Amino acid sequence: MTQPFIELKNVKKRFGSNRVMQGVDLLIFKGEITAVIGKSGCGKSVLLKHIIGLETLDSGVISIAGQDLSAMDREARKRFKQKTSYMFQNNALFDSLNVFDNIALPLAEGSSLSKKEIRDRVLMRMEQLEIMGIEGRYSAQLSGGMRKRVALARALVTDPDVVLFDEPTTGLDPVRKNAVHSMIKAYQERFGFTAVVVSHEIPEIFEIAQRVAMLDKGRIVFQGSPEQIKESTIDVVRSFINGIEETNREF
Amino acid sequence: MVIGWKHGFKSGGETILKSSAERLINKVEPLGAMTLGRVQSVGRGALFFLQGLFQILVLPIQFSKILEHTWFIGTKSMVVIVLTGIFTGMVLGLQGYYTLVRFGSEGMLGSAVALTLIRELGPVLTAIMVTARAGSAMAAEIGVMRISEQIDALETMDINPVRYLFSPRIVAAVISFPLLTALFDVIGIFGGYITGSLLLGINPGIYIYRVKESVLMADITGGFIKSLVFSLVVTTVCCNRGFFTHLHSTGGFGAKGVSHSTTTAVVHSCVLILVFDYIITYLLL
């Protein structure tokens, strides 16, 4: 059996009396898109933040390529962080920097590349994401879709091995949502990174993901392929997927 | 029957004791939580300051950011410092003249104005004016970055947020505060000259002679030390309040939280400037 690239074992986290994660077990395989679905507020974003190190777990183990993240030395942790990108739900673009500087920031601050090399890489990513010509604009001057693409360009500019997407299609119209999904799929195929996508977009997310995991009441209640989740007999999974599909049909 | 009564009395007494203890704990608990919160906040601030200082020394030196913040803290504060300095000097000249003239020593006006400005008012008023102009902006800018996840974004990019946001501001403030204080002092002495010599008729030569004669190097050094300490106090308090906006939920979350952090940063900075002014003056005298 293939070894998982990222593995969460019995991960627990609580904020005060709120037990957000009550023993999460999750496998993420290299070069695949894993979608994490679940009800709002069930801890999907918290799960992503644990992988990138923005939150510290109360107990359990997160291992990267078989190595315990908490036991990693500083250099190994730094290497993992440098090869991991995070796309925030609200983009988290720096509003006092223009588009070019936003995309260039991880390279300018975290690499030894020359100014010319940074410029070339930023412009190349901007061209690939079809956002040329807005280098000097600020995030407040962009549409929601444009901001998403700038955030995606910033996430991809370092050629990451792992990209964590926190609800990348929030606030977008259906056309833009499909465009963002296609973009994630296309870039994942092109660059081969491992992607974890937290999403509410059902069934669209099943079209791009190779694996789906469902989080409910602080535990992963299902993980498998999109085909398997569609045929799942687990009540909570069925009602979640059908509930969303029925709502979509009603609308 | 009797035993039953005894048992009832005993359990009733225990209940009363228990409820009084609970009431007492309920009253003491928030006080304890508040004390712990304050201690934690001070500890966090101290660690933040030390980390910021340490990150200044980590290579590569952030020249462009230091320059950018020096321009913001220093250059952009010059107008307000000139205006405050000239009117402070003029008021000192006016008050000083009418006090000294009663004793027939109006010729000492130059000394009074220069020493008051260089030793006390220059460093203190400069620090307070820069807090109002640049310190509040620092707290608000970093606070907005915190609530909009921009600081989290820095961490995900493996960029140390303390190094990126705080360290260049410390260096910029350490460069700007003494220079602005010197500007304030010079302009203030000139303000005193305007009222004393040009408006109230003190001999200009005497005014300038008294300034030169009374001001010692120790006075200038004292003012310089004060401005350096104030620069560290103001940047640490303002950046710290902005950086930990999300942990100070008592003032509210979101925009309200940022507004609370900004106000608190300015108030705490001003109070600490006066506290440190007293301590330094006591140590220097």
Side-chain angles (χ1 to χ4, degrees), chain B residues 22-41:
Chain B
E22 268 172 17
R23 271 204 301 274
L24 190 70
I25 288 169
N26 286 345
K27 278 181 187 166
V28 174
E29 215 171 20
L31 191 71
M34 197 182 77
T35 313
L36 282 177
R38 297 265 183 239
V39 172
Q40 273 179 345
S41 177

Side-chain angles (χ1 to χ4, degrees), chain A residues 49 52 54 78 81-82 84 86 88 92-97 105-106 109 154, chain B residues 62 65 141 144-145 148-159 163-164:
Chain A
K49 286 179 180 173
I52 193 84
L54 282 177
K78 195 175 170 68
K81 257 191 157 180
Q82 282 173 342
T84 307
Y86 192 103
F88 285 81
L93 293 175
F94 297 94
D95 40 24
S96 55
L97 298 180
L105 189 69
E109 293 292 328
R154 188 177 70 183
Chain B
Q62 307 177 84
K65 273 194 219 87
E141 187 184 336
V144 169
M145 288 183 78
S148 59
E149 294 184 309
Q150 292 175 45
I151 293 178
D152 287 344
L154 286 174
E155 283 185 32
T156 64
M157 290 176 214
D158 199 34
I159 300 168
R163 173 179 163 79
Y164 185 79

Side-chain angles (χ1 to χ4, degrees), chain B residues 36-232:
Chain B
L36 282 177
R38 297 265 183 239
V39 172
Q40 273 179 345
S41 177
V42 171
R44 218 172 22 234
L47 288 175
F48 181 74
F49 171 65
L50 292 176
Q51 207 193 338
L53 279 188
F54 173 73
Q55 288 296 333
I56 295 170
L57 307 171
V58 175
L59 296 173
I61 305 287
Q62 307 177 84
F63 283 116
S64 63
K65 273 194 219 87
I66 291 170
L67 210 63
E68 187 189 320
H69 291 301
T70 308
W71 175 79
F72 180 74
I73 298 170
T75 316
K76 288 191 90 177
S77 301
M78 280 172 70
V79 175
V80 78
I81 291 300
V82 167
L83 283 171
T84 323
I86 198 139
F87 284 107
T88 307
M90 285 171 78
V91 167
L92 276 178
L94 212 57
Q95 292 276 17
Y97 178 83
Y98 286 110
T99 309
L100 292 169
V101 84
R102 281 191 227 161
F103 308 101
S105 355
E106 64 271 25
M108 297 299 288
L109 186 68
S111 304
V113 170
L115 288 177
T116 313
L117 283 169
I118 292 170
R119 283 181 181 174
E120 284 302 323
L121 289 183
V124 170
L125 284 180
T126 302
I128 289 175
M129 294 318 291
V130 178
T131 303
R133 207 203 66 77
S136 56
M138 282 183 221
E141 187 184 336
I142 298 175
V144 169
M145 288 183 78
R146 170 58 76 187
I147 63 160
S148 59
E149 294 184 309
Q150 292 175 45
I151 293 178
D152 287 344
L154 286 174
E155 283 185 32
T156 64
M157 290 176 214
D158 199 34
I159 300 168
N160 185 328
V162 175
R163 173 179 163 79
Y164 185 79
L165 297 169
F166 180 40
S167 300
R169 283 178 165 96
I170 301 179
V171 181
V174 165
I175 295 169
S176 305
F177 273 59
L179 291 173
L180 289 171
T181 304
L183 179 70
F184 188 100
D185 292 346
V186 172
I187 295 287
I189 291 169
F190 178 66
Y193 173 83
I194 292 174
T195 32
S197 295
L198 302 184
L199 301 177
L200 299 169
I202 293 175
N203 186 311
I206 292 177
Y207 181 88
I208 291 163
Y209 171 75
R210 288 292 177 198
V211 172
K212 275 176 72 177
E213 187 208 40
S214 58
V215 176
L216 304 173
M217 197 57 206
D219 300 318
I220 297 169
T221 314
F224 181 75
I225 292 169
K226 281 182 181 179
S227 66
L228 281 181
V229 173
F230 296 160
S231 69
L232 296 176

